């Protein structure tokens, strides 16, 4: 019987690449500008309407009330905003300007994700240069249980817009 080493020609692979084409993605550098992440799923490519509908259905299945909020790029990201003089970064678990403008009222009694998606489209039409997020509120515990970004403005990343997923690293 042959040993495994004789049967397989195992090649040692270095963990770090310094320019080989085969490992070009193993040493990526995160772009520090125009790469702001918000809420759940913001690191992913934009969700389709079908994917958004599934997330809204998740909110509804848990008995949470959907609510839409929007904010312009200058105020949507909380790092460094506020007038308190305190360290208002997300990392400190205290930050000013975490509240966005509410789009209409919370959607009490909503039981169809298409109603929420229609309101998302209306909000984007009215405020195309703003971020839009959907939050799910528990009316018994009186807390926000889930929140996710449903729209990013089509702006240059250096002006508050989102980078394409493929352009987030170099």
């Amino acid at each position: 019987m042959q040993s495994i080493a004789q049967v397989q020609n195992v090649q040692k692979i270095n963990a770090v690449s310094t320019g080989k084409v085969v490992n070009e993605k193993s040493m990526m550098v995160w772009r520090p500008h125009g790469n702001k992440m918000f809420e759940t799923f913001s690191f992913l490519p934009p969700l389709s309407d079908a994917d958004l509908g599934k997330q809204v259905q998740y909110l509804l299945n848990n008995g949470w009330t959907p609510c839409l909020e929007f904010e312009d790029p200058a105020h949507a990201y909380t790092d460094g905003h506020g007038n308190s003089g305190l360290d208002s970064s997300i990392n400190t678990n205290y930050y000013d300007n975490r509240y966005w403008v509410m789009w209409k009222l919370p959607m009490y009694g909503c039981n169809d994700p298409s109603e929420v998606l229609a309101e998302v489209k209306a909000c984007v039409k009215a405020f195309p240069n703003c971020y839009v997020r959907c939050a799910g509120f528990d009316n018994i515990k009186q807390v926000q249980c889930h929140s996710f970004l449903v729209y990013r403005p089509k702006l240059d990343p250096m002006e508050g817009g989102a980078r394409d997923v493929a352009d987030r690293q170099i």
Side-chain angles (χ1 to χ4, degrees):
M1 242 168 96
Q2 292 180 328
S3 70
I4 294 175
Q6 291 173 334
V7 174
Q8 297 175 348
N9 185 6
V10 179
Q11 181 182 4
K12 183 179 177 186
I13 299 173
N14 293 331
V16 177
S17 172
T18 57
K20 293 182 180 178
V21 175
V22 293
N23 291 330
E24 68 181 11
K25 300 259 183 213
S26 67
M27 296 271 306
M28 304 297 287
V29 176
W30 183 256
R31 289 183 184 271
H33 307 294
N35 250 343
K36 296 176 179 172
M37 298 295 132
F38 302 83
E39 313 294 341
T40 310
F41 310 127
S42 66
F43 58 92
L44 296 173
L47 299 176
S48 68
D49 283 353
D51 292 333
L52 290 174
K54 289 176 185 176
Q55 291 304 316
V56 172
Q57 188 62 56
Y58 175 78
L59 299 178
L60 298 174
N61 289 347
N62 282 288
W64 301 332
T65 301
C67 176
L68 296 180
E69 300 172 323
F70 65 97
E71 191 59 79
D72 64 274
H75 298 99
Y77 194 69
T78 59
D79 197 19
H81 292 287
N83 301 318
S84 65
L86 298 173
D87 177 7
S88 61
S89 67
I90 288 174
N91 300 328
T92 63
N93 292 324
Y94 175 82
Y95 49 97
D96 290 332
N97 197 34
R98 62 182 167 242
Y99 302 107
W100 290 11
V101 179
M102 189 181 299
W103 173 257
K104 299 184 179 179
L105 292 174
M107 300 179 75
Y108 299 109
C110 175
N111 57 14
D112 185 2
S114 64
E115 296 174 32
V116 177
L117 294 178
E119 289 299 323
V120 168
K121 290 182 189 315
C123 182
V124 169
K125 184 177 179 183
F127 299 98
N129 291 330
C130 288
Y131 286 91
V132 180
R133 69 180 174 197
C134 179
F137 289 95
D138 185 325
N139 66 335
I140 304 298
K141 297 177 183 172
Q142 305 237 336
V143 296
Q144 177 179 317
C145 296
H146 187 44
S147 177
F148 57 98
L149 209 58
V150 295
Y151 176 77
R152 286 180 180 258
K154 307 284 190 270
L155 300 172
D156 181 85
M158 299 311 291
E159 296 174 1
R163 287 191 183 276
D164 291 330
V165 174
D167 190 36
R168 292 181 183 171
Q169 299 176 353
I170 54 172

